[in-house]
Amino acid sequence: MKLNLNRPLAFFDLETTGVNVGVDRIVEIAILKAMPDGSELIKTLRINPEMPIPLQSSLIHGIYDEHVANEPTFKMAAQEVADFIGDADLAGYNSNRFDIPVLLEEFLRAGVDFDMGDRKFVDVQNIFHQMEQRTLKAAYKFYCDKDIINAHSAEADITATYHVLLAQIEKYKDVDFEDKQGNISKPVINDVDALHTFTNMNKPVDFAGRMVFNDNNEEIFNFGKHKGKTVEQVFDLEPSYYAWMKQGDFPLYTKKKLSEIWERWNKKKEQLKLEKQQQQKQQQEQQPGTQPKPAASPAKTPVPNFKQQNPVKKEKPAVAVTNDMLEQLKMKFGK
């Protein structure tokens, strides 16, 4: 059976120093690139993680410090990996929760901008868990009736994953699936877009699952005290939460997506502020009596009007009293 592809689908698997997405590093990466014409390309690289490989991890994948001491670091191999994947969609086993987040962390550390915007990603484990709910070894036995030889080597695992997906498509092409809301569909078909939708039920924003999309396609927090709230709503209520996450022990890709939402939120705030100022200006211009009054002219210093004042009477000079004047007074008053 051949996958129905419009562009390549890159199956990849990582062996790492541990399972902490933000801290642990790749020690081996294997990529099987399924091409639209049915051909397959495989690339496998050992990577020096620049840190000791814990014994418990080495016991699982068989890769010890001495095996990678002379291998290139991921920063040295990052561009080669990115070029090999090219514009391919991504697929893997538990890849949405682990392999993709770890790969993105390594690309960011190496300074390689690996664009995820237009890619589809198919997690074969999600098909298996939702349809049968079991491990890669069990899936390979169940679907292909084979045992994995060299299990936990990256190349053996991705080859098994690839063949499991082919068998799943064949097995479930006419099988009904009922979701939690009671909707019935036939989701497992030979189409990457449909498989992308079915294997990304939680619609992650950052792949580590700290943020997911809700039914309205809004980013919401998926952990902690703000679980279920939209990211922008939390920024409105508690903007310091952004700084706390940026300084915290979160994966770099989680912080990158958080910063993108923060920048978008700030642009919205600035736009709303400008619109509010313009509305206030228009209201002032439309309402009568709101124009600024001209400044009053300064008061003039009053000039005294001397013409309106009562003129000062001039006193006549005193006249000496004579005997004739005394005689006239006596005659007038009879004395």
Side-chain angles (χ1 to χ4, degrees), residues 318-329:
V319 180
V321 178
T322 64
N323 289 331
D324 291 337
M325 292 173 64
L326 292 173
E327 289 295 330
Q328 289 178 359
L329 288 171

Side-chain angles (χ1 to χ4, degrees), residues 86-99:
D87 66 346
D89 295 318
L90 300 177
Y93 195 86
N94 195 31
S95 50
N96 288 357
R97 292 186 179 182
F98 184 73
D99 298 85

Side-chain angles (χ1 to χ4, degrees), residues 28 56 112 116 128 138 198 234 241 263-264 268 277 312 327:
E28 185 176 70
Q56 58 267 35
V112 174
M116 292 290 290
F128 181 41
F198 187 55
V234 173
Y241 201 71
E263 290 174 9
R264 186 185 69 205
K268 284 183 182 178
Q277 290 174 346
V312 180
E327 289 295 330

